[in-house]
Amino acid sequence: MRSDTSYRAAVIGGGPAGLAAALLLGRLGVPTAAIFPATQPAGADRRTAALFAGSIQLLRNLGIWPQLAPLSERMLGIRLIDGQGGLLRAPETIFRAQEAGLEEFGFNVPNAALVAALTEAIVREPGVTVIPSSVAELITQDSGVIIRQQDGSQMLAALVVGADGRQSLSRHAAGITSRTWDYPQAAVVCAFGHGRPHRGISTEFHRPTGPLTTVPMPGRVSSLVWVESRDEAARLQALDGFAFREALETSLQGLLGSVEDIGPRATFPLSGLSADTLGQGRIALVGEAAHVMPPIGAQGLNLGLRDVAVLAGCVVEAQPGSEEAAVAAYARARAPDVASRIAAIDALNRSLLTELLPVHLLRGLGIYVLGAVPALRRFVVNEGLQPSLATPAAMLPDGLAEIARPSTPPMTIASGKT
Ligand SMILES: Cc1cc2nc3c(=O)[nH]c(=O)nc-3n(C[C@H](O)[C@H](O)[C@H](O)COP(=O)(O)OP(=O)(O)OC[C@H]3O[C@@H](n4cnc5c(N)ncnc54)[C@H](O)[C@@H]3O)c2cc1C
């Protein structure tokens, strides 16, 4: 275990956002430590992430896409079905990638495979030192941030990337306040086989208790994100396989034919979190350490990977010694994208939950207008996939070459416990 080394950057957290951040910084020549517990619950994450073009390009740039592509499925269209049962039922609307001039909207990638591929890559990456440990404390000093691990050993980093999830110790250590809230819903998640092909179309049934979404996986398989009231989600989670299959078939209204081979289920209570800023002093937050939103519209990890791409650009651009300025530039650059997405997903979820007729009317009319007006459809499709803000270089083809600079070796400092 190294306890006497200083790094330009230390990334705390071994989820997809933290691993991507460490790998990207290492590739860009920034001497980086990646600190996360060795005993991650490998394979236990049953979620998939629908990742849009910028996120996929980042994975290509990081060299891990060839490993993930066979396990992922192309998303060629998104179908919205108004399952509200209200007075005004909107007609079904399908957004096709072609209309946005794209080959596909993105790919549905299994989370466990993504984390495994990123972990293998950072272990091989010479620019990254993996430290299998939990961080117990962060102490900011003039010269950098002292990172004390659970076993008492410590290191110094000029800049800390807090990718340590919703309970983020980094966020607290930076003194960044946050707003949190709960929704009265939970999502039941699993993979399932079906008789009819999905043809690359993801389907969202918009229902009074929340959306039920199927997202294509390779073959005649889809991943399910079924949002219900918390009680109903607990009931669905507890059903035996036969009863769950029946309930799912009924809710899918025959869309994908007979349901078969249902994988293990997991339930996620829905909540939200918004950090008041994405960076303070020498500590920058990425992923769920900074923002948590309900799994509607596939925004969470796409947003987290945009954090990573923008942060890497700010760090590489900054001269050593001006890390605080890099963190401030990063926080400024990310604020509008993060705030607008949290507000949009919150509003969409709440509009589904409300029983007020005018909201139903507006939402029904919204889905109808989106279906009927081609220019509006194109706008919504493009904004949902990638905001009109500039695409960060790390998400562009050959983007890494554009921002990379030669690596400098880590400097050695005196060790000692504070
Ligand atoms: C049901 C569901 C469906 C979703 N679908 C999509 C989708 O289709 N598309 C999409 O873009 N997003 C989706 N999301 C969101 C996405 O899953 C999350 O944004 C993403 O997994 C968060 O990754 P993260 O790396 O930020 O956090 P996490 O995965 O929570 O990682 C946090 C890491 O920090 C580590 N850690 C914590 N504390 C410490 C410490 N003190 N020291 C060291 N390490 C520490 C933990 O061990 C962990 O490795 C979905 C979410 C849900 C719930």
Side-chain angles (χ1 to χ4, degrees):
M1 184 83 61
R2 302 175 75 151
S3 61
D4 60 347
T5 305
S6 163
Y7 295 87
R8 176 108 198 272
V11 180
I12 302 175
L19 294 167
L23 183 58
L24 181 57
L25 287 169
R27 284 281 161 83
L28 291 171
V30 178
T32 299
I35 315 167
F36 53 89
T39 49
Q40 302 256 72
D45 194 338
R46 310 199 189 293
R47 291 172 295 178
T48 60
L51 296 181
F52 301 132
S55 301
I56 297 296
Q57 186 60 52
L58 176 64
L59 301 181
R60 286 186 212 277
N61 292 348
L62 291 172
I64 60 166
W65 184 242
Q67 200 176 330
L68 291 170
L71 308 171
S72 308
E73 181 63 43
R74 213 174 260 268
M75 296 191 314
L76 300 173
I78 298 170
R79 180 193 283 119
L80 300 184
I81 297 180
D82 188 355
Q84 290 277 76
L87 280 180
L88 262 190
R89 196 184 151 99
E92 174 183 311
T93 293
I94 298 191
F95 298 100
R96 292 193 187 272
Q98 266 181 334
E99 321 174 29
L102 301 169
E103 278 179 44
E104 67 272 317
F105 282 133
F107 289 81
N108 189 29
V109 183
N111 268 25
L114 174 60
V115 166
L118 285 165
T119 307
E120 279 170 33
I122 63 167
V123 168
R124 287 195 309 265
E125 174 58 47
V128 180
T129 304
V130 176
I131 298 171
S133 177
S134 251
V135 170
E137 194 179 11
L138 298 177
I139 305 158
T140 299
Q141 296 195 327
D142 287 348
S143 54
V145 182
I146 295 175
I147 301 168
R148 186 182 291 155
Q149 298 154 43
Q150 287 291 1
D151 66 2
S153 57
Q154 60 189 34
M155 66 176 76
L156 186 75
L159 182 143
V160 165
V161 181
D164 42 357
R166 52 186 75 196
Q167 307 295 342
S168 176
L169 174 140
S170 313
R171 190 176 66 238
H172 293 295
I176 297 174
T177 49
S178 60
R179 196 167 56 88
T180 55
W181 61 98
D182 281 322
Y183 296 95
Q185 301 147 292
V188 179
V189 173
C190 64
F192 68 98
H194 37 80
R196 288 200 195 137
H198 48 57
R199 300 187 198 288
I201 307 289
S202 175
T203 301
E204 288 184 19
F205 290 87
H206 284 227
R207 303 144 57 254
T209 42
L212 182 157
T213 307
T214 66
V215 195
M217 291 175 76
R220 288 192 182 186
V221 178
S222 291
S223 59
L224 173 73
V225 181
W226 186 348
V227 176
E228 277 291 355
S229 70
R230 293 200 178 190
D231 286 348
E232 179 60 6
R235 191 188 72 81
L236 290 170
Q237 175 76 42
L239 287 179
D240 64 33
F242 181 77
F244 184 77
R245 196 185 82 178
E246 256 192 2
L248 180 56
E249 265 182 359
T250 305
S251 292
L252 290 176
Q253 302 170 14
L255 186 83
L256 293 168
S258 61
V259 168
E260 51 217 34
D261 297 331
I262 298 176
R265 282 163 256 163
T267 298
F268 296 83
L270 263 52
S271 60
L273 179 147
S274 170
D276 291 336
T277 172
L278 269 73
Q280 181 79 41
R282 292 175 178 272
I283 300 178
L285 305 178
V286 298
E288 290 203 337
H291 43 71
V292 177
M293 58 190 72
I296 297 171
Q299 295 293 320
L301 186 55
N302 284 293
L303 205 56
L305 293 176
R306 283 207 292 280
D307 297 341
V308 167
V310 171
L311 178 63
C314 293
V315 173
V316 171
E317 235 171 63
Q319 291 299 318
S322 45
E323 282 75 21
E324 295 196 27
V327 169
Y330 162 71
R332 268 197 311 278
R334 291 299 295 140
D337 186 21
V338 171
S340 64
R341 256 137 238 278
I342 288 178
I345 298 301
D346 183 62
L348 179 58
N349 190 34
R350 288 187 197 279
S351 88
L352 289 164
L353 285 174
T354 182
E355 285 172 3
L356 291 176
L357 183 65
V359 178
H360 275 207
L361 272 170
L362 277 177
R363 213 185 43 76
L365 190 65
I367 291 183
Y368 173 74
V369 171
L370 286 179
V373 182
L376 194 55
R377 285 163 69 96
R378 272 194 300 278
F379 173 77
V380 169
V381 166
N382 287 322
E383 278 298 301
L385 300 176
Q386 187 89 345
S388 45
L389 307 161
T391 303
M395 290 186 154
L396 296 172
D398 302 322
L400 299 205
E402 215 177 279
I403 47 179
R405 66 191 191 116
S407 91
T408 46
M411 47 184 175
T412 300
I413 57 161
S415 64
K417 302 193 173 176
T418 52

